[in-house]
Amino acid sequence: MPLIPATEASTAQAASGPESNAQGEALLTIRDLGVDFSVEDRTVTAAQGVCLSVYPGRTCALVGESGSGKSVTALSVLRLLPAQVARTSGEIIFEGRDLLRLDEGALREVRGGRIGMIFQEPMTSLNPLHPIGRQIAENVLLHQPEVDAKARTLELLDLVGIPDAASRLNSFPHQLSGGQRQRVIIAMALANDPVLLIADEPTTALDVTIQAQVLALLKDLQKRLNMAILLISHDLGVVRHMADEVHVMREGRIVESGPRDDIFRNPGHAYTKTLLASTPSGRPGPLADDAQTLLEANNIRVWFPQGKNFFGRAKSYIKAVTDAELFIRRGESLGVVGESGSGKTTLGLALLRLQACQGEITFDGKLLSAMGEGEVRKLRRNFQIVFQDPYGSLSPRMTVGQIVAEGLDAHRLATGTEREERIAEILEAVDLDPAAMHRYPHEFSGGQRQRISIARALILRPKFVVLDEPTSALDRTVQFQIVELLRGLQARFGLTYMFITHDLALVRALCHRIVIMKDGRIVEQGGTDTIFASPVQEYTRTLLAAALE
């Protein structure tokens, strides 16, 4: 993958940095950072006594569970926390200036220019009303008005691995896959060759091959520009691969710090040991020898027409899924793996009749693909989906109880006391306090929100559940808990899963069989252990080799 060509401005930045940088002093120093939030009539401490330094050409990593204060610390650097409710204390020294005391004009020059930031949730970070080309170009023009913004935008999109970048300039965020949206965010952060890059879960939504390419890109840029990186991640494989120094956070405090190798080889704090031991492990429960096929798909095709000619026919097609064939047995977990944009999610949506497609879909002995929408609606309680982004898929205006009961209400399956009892029962099944039904999604951590999404899907006691990247935004300890939860729920309720993911460790822990997709086609499928031990296709071997853990 080529590097971003060095502009005169970026070369000058690298060559004319503060003399202290040349002497090996810190580019960014955080001293005794404290962050308190005013929530209704109480104060919540999100960070306390945080101290760390980030040096030119080096990567400093913050790791910890969801809610530990990692992202709050990162957002504090650029003063992106809501001033109405957040009170920040301490010092954040960048290039000799305290960012907490800069005026807004000086701070705007730093944001997106000297300091770039990769945000964790791309769908909420991108403007849904503007095409991605305009959003990237806006960042370029703000700091480099003399640059050809369109050419620079194309260069950046090509750099971060967006296929056919020129055709994507006018695409809106909702028209891209989760991984492609994350790559757009990375392109925006790198647009002005920053000297400090704050990367908040930069590879969360990326498959292993693109993840490896993006990490290699960041390392190359770091070496060329002497760029410092503050990395926030729950992925210990990424941290092991990227970091020079590691700081472990828990409940707003740094509980352990040190060089990467010391932390990974000889952790001193009990919490650090717990983090390192939380990689998803084990195998899925045994599958009955006589398990019958629950779902079968033949010749599934989803092509999206692009433009029309004089005769009203499509000029070309985006071939999201082409001639896919698969089957899933009762009680089985089928993993669907492939690069971002390979058609994994589109295939899952097509099987649930949430996306129009060609081909035959048979579910529980019924030809689903031949049914009208009214007939399908009566069967929908039997198949459900858990989406990738729990925060985006849960209505902020509804209580947890209202969200979980949506299916019950739609199918008129329970009212009054019985309805509340079923909500409480399913919340307990996903290890949430039934009292949570009266609260709102924003009051929960990422892992808890995903449990709410799972509860919403399972309250109807479905036979088949599509899990679309259900753990991608979660830290490793919570991923471990969710995998254990899904295995337990499968055994308890006799569930059948289609597990869409780019995380091969999770596939091995949860799935009986694997389907490998590339460019909309299934290129290999088979038993999990067989695929991991003896992959047939070169692409499958590439996927396995690219995994960091």
Side-chain angles (χ1 to χ4, degrees):
M1 179 177 290
L3 295 176
I4 296 178
T7 62
E8 292 181 7
S10 66
T11 304
Q13 287 175 2
S16 62
E19 291 184 4
S20 58
N21 290 350
Q23 297 169 8
E25 293 187 12
L27 179 67
L28 175 74
T29 299
I30 298 176
R31 298 190 186 116
D32 198 27
L33 176 67
V35 180
D36 295 324
F37 289 96
S38 298
V39 181
E40 296 177 351
D41 58 346
R42 60 196 178 96
T43 299
V44 176
T45 298
Q48 187 173 0
V50 174
C51 297
L52 61 85
S53 296
V54 187
Y55 294 85
R58 296 180 68 82
T59 299
C60 173
L62 273 176
V63 300
E65 291 180 296
S66 177
S68 63
K70 308 186 303 295
S71 292
V72 166
T73 299
L75 292 171
S76 297
V77 174
L78 290 176
R79 285 171 38 195
L80 294 175
L81 297 174
Q84 307 94 312
V85 296
R87 185 173 60 84
T88 306
S89 59
E91 294 180 325
I92 300 178
I93 308 300
F94 174 71
E95 295 185 326
R97 296 185 293 176
D98 188 349
L99 297 181
L100 295 181
R101 288 158 182 80
L102 284 187
D103 60 56
E104 282 298 321
L107 193 58
R108 275 195 297 271
E109 293 179 5
V110 173
R111 290 175 178 158
R114 302 293 285 168
I115 301 178
M117 184 156 187
I118 300 170
F119 293 94
Q120 181 175 355
E121 295 181 346
M123 196 57 181
T124 56
S125 303
L126 293 170
N127 189 327
L129 301 179
H130 294 291
I132 61 169
R134 182 186 299 176
Q135 296 188 56
I136 298 173
E138 180 183 22
N139 194 31
V140 173
L141 290 173
L142 184 64
H143 295 276
Q144 302 182 76
E146 75 285 356
V147 169
D148 183 337
K150 182 177 180 180
R152 179 63 168 166
T153 299
L154 286 171
E155 183 180 52
L156 288 161
L157 288 176
D158 182 64
L159 183 74
V160 297
I162 296 290
D164 194 11
S167 69
R168 290 296 194 176
L169 285 178
N170 294 318
S171 296
F172 291 86
H174 73 273
Q175 296 175 303
L176 305 178
S177 70
Q180 289 170 332
R181 288 193 291 265
Q182 186 72 312
R183 280 180 262 175
V184 171
I185 290 291
I186 293 171
M188 293 174 69
L190 297 175
N192 298 298
D193 293 340
V195 295
L196 171 64
L197 180 67
I198 301 174
D200 189 0
E201 303 285 3
T203 59
T204 290
L206 303 182
D207 55 82
V208 290
T209 53
I210 298 299
Q211 181 186 75
Q213 292 172 18
V214 168
L215 294 180
L217 165 65
L218 293 178
K219 278 199 163 188
D220 286 339
L221 285 168
Q222 183 176 48
K223 182 178 180 180
R224 180 172 65 77
L225 296 175
N226 203 31
M227 183 173 66
I229 297 177
L230 176 59
L231 173 68
I232 291 88
S233 181
H234 66 258
D235 191 326
L236 296 176
V238 171
V239 173
R240 183 185 287 115
H241 185 74
M242 290 288 293
D244 296 295
E245 293 85 31
V246 177
H247 300 272
V248 181
M249 291 195 73
R250 186 185 188 194
E251 297 177 352
R253 292 180 175 272
I254 293 178
V255 297
E256 185 168 4
S257 301
R260 175 197 57 201
D261 292 343
D262 289 353
I263 295 293
F264 277 90
R265 292 174 184 171
N266 300 299
H269 198 279
Y271 176 67
T272 308
K273 295 176 182 177
T274 300
L275 279 181
L276 295 175
S278 295
T279 300
S281 59
R283 292 293 183 270
L287 186 65
D289 293 335
D290 60 347
Q292 300 297 307
T293 298
L294 176 66
L295 183 144
E296 185 173 2
N298 293 294
N299 300 317
I300 301 302
R301 177 177 293 187
V302 182
W303 288 10
F304 297 105
Q306 297 295 296
K308 293 183 179 180
N309 60 21
F310 178 78
F311 300 101
R313 297 173 182 171
K315 292 181 178 179
S316 62
Y317 293 89
I318 294 177
K319 299 178 180 181
V321 178
T322 301
D323 301 335
E325 298 192 0
L326 57 84
F327 68 91
I328 309 175
R329 293 170 289 187
R330 295 179 187 273
E332 185 176 42
S333 295
L334 177 71
V336 181
V337 180
E339 294 178 314
S340 176
S342 63
K344 306 187 299 295
T345 297
T346 302
L347 175 60
L349 294 175
L351 296 181
L352 297 181
R353 283 287 301 270
L354 295 173
Q355 169 62 59
C357 68
Q358 296 177 331
E360 289 189 352
I361 304 169
T362 303
F363 178 80
D364 202 14
K366 301 178 179 65
L367 189 58
L368 198 65
S369 53
M371 292 182 180
E373 188 54 43
E375 294 176 282
V376 173
R377 192 176 295 117
K378 295 176 183 178
L379 293 176
R380 286 210 177 277
R381 59 176 296 186
N382 294 307
F383 41 86
Q384 295 291 306
I385 185 168
V386 177
F387 294 99
Q388 178 176 358
D389 178 6
Y391 197 68
S393 63
L394 302 177
S395 172
R397 298 178 180 271
M398 298 170 67
T399 65
V400 168
Q402 292 170 329
I403 290 169
V404 171
E406 279 187 289
L408 292 179
D409 298 340
H411 292 275
R412 301 177 183 176
L413 294 177
T415 58
T417 303
E418 182 187 359
R419 177 180 181 275
E420 190 156 324
E421 288 175 351
R422 289 188 65 170
I423 296 171
E425 179 187 10
I426 200 65
L427 288 176
E428 286 184 338
V430 297
D431 296 330
L432 287 174
D433 185 348
M437 72 174 72
H438 304 297
R439 297 162 61 190
Y440 290 85
H442 72 270
E443 300 178 66
F444 296 88
S445 69
Q448 290 171 323
R449 286 196 291 262
Q450 197 60 287
R451 290 172 186 270
I452 294 167
S453 296
I454 294 171
R456 177 176 60 181
L458 298 190
I459 197 167
L460 291 174
R461 302 289 173 82
K463 297 177 181 178
F464 176 55
V465 181
V466 172
L467 301 156
D468 188 5
E469 301 276 12
T471 63
S472 65
L474 306 179
D475 55 77
R476 275 302 193 193
T477 54
V478 179
Q479 282 186 355
F480 179 81
Q481 295 165 12
I482 294 295
V483 167
E484 292 295 314
L485 172 67
L486 291 172
R487 279 200 293 234
L489 292 171
Q490 184 173 45
R492 178 175 173 181
F493 297 117
L495 298 169
T496 302
Y497 293 144
M498 180 176 179
F499 190 66
I500 299 169
T501 186
H502 61 260
D503 192 323
L504 295 174
L506 292 175
V507 167
R508 197 165 200 173
L510 192 63
C511 299
H512 299 88
R513 291 187 302 115
I514 305 176
V515 164
I516 308 294
M517 293 193 70
K518 184 178 189 297
D519 298 330
R521 294 181 179 273
I522 294 175
V523 297
E524 186 168 359
Q525 56 182 306
T528 300
D529 291 337
T530 301
I531 293 289
F532 272 83
S534 304
V536 175
Q537 298 295 324
E538 180 61 31
Y539 177 69
T540 307
R541 289 194 286 270
T542 300
L543 280 180
L544 294 173
L548 295 176
E549 296 184 343

